[in-house]
């Protein structure tokens, strides 16, 4: 039996079907988001190639065709190559990110796009799967729970280097995605205390912006005092740790103003202000979110109908085919449409985790959880942006948002996992 036949029988067809459904629905919504009643569909194909490429939906269709070619290439390559060349791919992407900082011209304040003739690529998108491969390769050779601090620093360095370079290109949103790798590390033995500390730090920072600082310090002091009053053992054995934690919290509470005013850029501060107070700048930074919520809310239960969305057709929401594609779904397909999209994503995430758990190698399992974590982060933040629960940070909705770099990077990310999974019976336990 040929390798191709064996592979076709082993590929996870459920995941492939979900992928086809998602990119198909995504293409329909990209068409709706860029639809113009002045250019009916019957007149589109009378245009020449350059005229067709003026339509976002047609470019997305072309990129989808390239994605199909990528899928074929990914499944033809020997699955062991992803493990063997993980560090090489990671190193090449680091070089590409450095090159982007040097040669990329500013676009909307960000130097994150490489222009290759008529095409633009965003290396930050592709850095996700190369980083996932590199950290999976590294973790396959260690036990995260038992390894020395030095090796944990190496893992942290592999994870943090790409987002630091991405931040240097002024693309903060894409850099935040790399925080999702913590979920994969947690599966492989990282202490849950780290996640709890990070979550607590985030809560303290948010409260520092919302609550008067003296009230916050007073509340924390009372809580700490009550713990010591009712449990003297804690006071006796953990006093240095408690005092250190108290000092860190004080530093965060009183240092948040310096970070907010001197580190964050004006547009980033505005986005946080709008998140905390949606009416802060309704005609400025808050315009996108306000119009997005109007679009989603106006869809009702079943939506206004395909190509019937007024918010969509009259361009009330900028970037509607990219970062705000979800509000097109909400307006034209209603609550039923948005729930369908959410169910598709939850099905994909559940299936990816199922595939990850059945891997026989640590490399395959870790990579699977990296895939799930990255998609989960994009899914939550993008939808959160459109309904005002997360700041607008330029995070596309996987397989739905318009853009070749996004579509290709998520396709590569997912189908490397399916290629590894198709040959899982040949893996040796590492």
């Amino acid at each position: 039996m040929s390798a191709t036949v064996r592979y076709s029988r082993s590929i996870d067809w459920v995941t492939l079907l979900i992928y086809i459904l998602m990119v198909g629905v995504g293409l329909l919504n990209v068409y709706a988001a860029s639809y113009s009643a002045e250019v009916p569909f019957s007149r589109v194909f009378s245009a020449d190639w350059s005229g067709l490429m003026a339509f976002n939906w047609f470019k997305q269709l072309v990129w989808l065709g390239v994605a199909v070619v990528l899928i074929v290439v990914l499944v033809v390559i020997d699955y062991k190559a992803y493990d063997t060349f993980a560090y090489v791919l990671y190193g090449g992407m680091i070089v590409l990110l450095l090159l982007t900082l040097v040669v990329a011209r500013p676009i909307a304040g960000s130097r994150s796009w490489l222009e290759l003739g008529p095409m633009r690529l965003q290396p930050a998108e592709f850095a996700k799967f190369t980083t996932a491969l590199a950290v999976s390769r590294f973790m396959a050779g260690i036990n995260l729970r038992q390894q020395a601090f030095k090796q944990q620093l190496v893992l942290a360095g592999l994870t943090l280097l790409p987002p630091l370079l991405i931040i240097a290109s002024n693309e903060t949103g894409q850099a935040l995605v790399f925080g999702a790798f913590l979920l994969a590390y947690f599966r492989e033995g990282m202490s849950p205390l780290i996640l709890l500390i990070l979550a607590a730090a985030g809560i303290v920072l948010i409260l520092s912006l919302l609550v008067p600082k003296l009230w916050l310090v007073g509340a924390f002091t009372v809580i700490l005092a009550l713990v010591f009053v009712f449990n003297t053992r804690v006071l006796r054995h953990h006093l240095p740790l408690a005092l250190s934690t108290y000092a860190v919290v004080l530093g965060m509470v009183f240092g948040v103003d310096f970070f907010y005013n001197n580190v964050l850029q004006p547009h980033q501060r505005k986005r946080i202000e709008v998140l905390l107070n949606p009416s802060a700048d309704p005609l400025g930074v808050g315009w996108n979110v306000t119009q997005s919520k109007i679009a989603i809310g106006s869809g009702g239960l079943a939506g206004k109908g395909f190509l019937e969305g007024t918010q969509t057709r009259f361009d009330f929401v900028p970037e509607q085919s990219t970062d705000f594609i979800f509000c097109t779904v909400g307006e034209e397909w209603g609550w039923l449409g948005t729930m369908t999209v959410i169910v598709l994503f939850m099905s994909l995430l559940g299936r990816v985790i199922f595939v990850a758990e059945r891997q026989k190698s640590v490399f395959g399992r870790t990579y699977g959880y990296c895939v799930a974590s990255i998609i989960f982060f994009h899914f939550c933040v993008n939808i959160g942006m459109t309904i005002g629960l997360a700041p607008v940070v330029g995070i596309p909705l996987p397989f739905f948002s318009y853009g070749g770099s996004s579509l290709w990077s998520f396709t590569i990310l997912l189908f490397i996992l399916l290629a590894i999974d198709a040959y899982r019976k040949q893996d040796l336990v590492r």
Side-chain angles (χ1 to χ4, degrees), residues 120-178:
R120 294 191 306 181
L121 289 177
Q122 190 176 24
E125 288 282 3
F126 300 95
K128 299 166 193 173
F129 84 83
T130 58
T131 304
L133 287 171
V135 298
S136 300
R137 170 68 186 276
F138 182 77
M139 291 181 68
I142 68 171
N143 183 322
L144 188 59
R145 185 172 298 177
Q146 299 177 359
Q147 287 305 310
F149 183 65
K150 179 180 178 181
Q151 289 177 308
Q152 294 179 2
L153 283 179
V154 173
L155 179 61
L158 286 172
T159 310
L160 291 175
L161 181 56
L164 289 175
L165 294 176
I166 293 169
I167 289 174
S169 69
N170 199 24
E171 190 63 46
T172 309
Q174 293 290 354
L176 293 175
V177 177
F178 289 80

Side-chain angles (χ1 to χ4, degrees), residues 271-298:
R271 288 172 179 174
I272 294 176
E273 290 173 8
V274 169
L275 177 65
L276 300 177
N277 180 15
S279 61
D281 189 14
L283 299 180
V285 177
W287 174 265
N288 286 19
V289 176
T290 300
Q291 297 302 318
S292 173
K293 290 193 289 186
I294 291 173
I296 294 173
S298 66

Side-chain angles (χ1 to χ4, degrees), residues 7 13 57 94 112 125 142 163 192-193 216 242 257 264 266 297 304 307 311 333 337 371 376 382 386 400 410 426:
Y7 182 89
W13 290 100
W57 66 267
I94 294 299
S112 58
E125 288 282 3
I142 68 171
L193 183 61
L216 192 59
D257 285 343
L264 295 181
K304 298 176 180 177
L307 305 181
Q311 294 288 110
W333 304 98
V371 173
F376 176 73
N382 180 273
T386 62
F400 279 79
F410 282 109
Q426 300 180 30

Side-chain angles (χ1 to χ4, degrees), residues 14-233:
V14 175
T15 306
L16 179 60
L17 176 61
I18 296 172
Y19 170 83
I20 293 171
L21 288 173
M22 294 178 82
V23 296
V25 176
L27 183 61
L28 281 176
N29 283 280
V30 169
Y31 177 77
S34 57
Y35 170 74
S36 173
E38 298 177 357
V39 186
F41 190 79
S42 59
R43 289 176 50 195
V44 168
F45 290 100
S46 63
D48 56 16
W49 177 258
S50 60
L52 286 172
M53 290 300 286
F55 298 100
N56 284 353
W57 66 267
F58 185 81
K59 286 191 283 188
Q60 188 78 353
L61 184 61
V62 171
W63 292 330
L64 183 56
V66 176
V68 173
V69 176
L70 287 173
I71 291 171
V72 174
V73 172
L74 290 170
V75 301
V76 168
I77 294 175
D78 188 338
Y79 75 109
K80 294 180 180 178
Y82 300 119
D83 188 339
T84 304
F85 295 102
Y87 292 146
V88 175
L89 292 170
Y90 177 84
M93 187 54 60
I94 294 299
V95 172
L96 197 59
L97 289 172
L98 289 169
L99 181 65
T100 303
L101 288 174
V102 177
V103 304
R105 66 182 180 90
I107 298 176
S110 172
R111 304 176 68 94
S112 58
W113 295 88
L114 287 178
E115 299 185 50
L116 306 173
M119 183 173 61
R120 294 191 306 181
L121 289 177
Q122 190 176 24
E125 288 282 3
F126 300 95
K128 299 166 193 173
F129 84 83
T130 58
T131 304
L133 287 171
V135 298
S136 300
R137 170 68 186 276
F138 182 77
M139 291 181 68
I142 68 171
N143 183 322
L144 188 59
R145 185 172 298 177
Q146 299 177 359
Q147 287 305 310
F149 183 65
K150 179 180 178 181
Q151 289 177 308
Q152 294 179 2
L153 283 179
V154 173
L155 179 61
L158 286 172
T159 310
L160 291 175
L161 181 56
L164 289 175
L165 294 176
I166 293 169
I167 289 174
S169 69
N170 199 24
E171 190 63 46
T172 309
Q174 293 290 354
L176 293 175
V177 177
F178 289 80
F181 283 96
L182 288 172
L183 299 177
Y185 302 159
F186 173 70
R187 168 61 182 84
E188 292 302 321
M190 184 186 74
S191 172
L193 183 61
I194 296 177
L195 292 177
L196 291 175
I197 290 173
L198 291 174
I203 292 172
V204 170
L205 289 175
I206 293 172
L207 289 176
S208 298
L209 295 172
L210 295 173
V211 179
K213 293 177 176 52
L214 292 179
W215 291 12
L216 192 59
V217 172
F220 187 75
T221 303
V222 170
I223 293 172
L224 192 62
L226 289 174
V227 170
F228 287 154
V229 167
F230 290 101
N231 194 332
T232 56
R233 184 175 177 273

Side-chain angles (χ1 to χ4, degrees), residues 7 11-23 70-71 74-75 82 128-129 132-133 344-345 347-353 355-356 359 364 367-368 370-372 374-375 398-399 406-422:
Y7 182 89
I11 193 171
D12 191 78
W13 290 100
V14 175
T15 306
L16 179 60
L17 176 61
I18 296 172
Y19 170 83
I20 293 171
L21 288 173
M22 294 178 82
V23 296
L70 287 173
I71 291 171
L74 290 170
V75 301
Y82 300 119
K128 299 166 193 173
F129 84 83
L133 287 171
L344 281 173
F345 270 102
S347 301
L348 177 64
L349 289 168
R351 194 65 189 179
V352 168
I353 292 173
V355 169
Q359 299 308 301
Y367 181 79
C370 288
V371 173
I374 292 169
I375 293 176
F399 311 117
S406 173
L407 177 61
W408 294 344
S409 68
F410 282 109
T411 297
I412 294 171
L413 184 75
L414 181 62
F415 278 88
I416 286 178
L417 175 63
L418 295 190
I420 295 171
D421 177 67

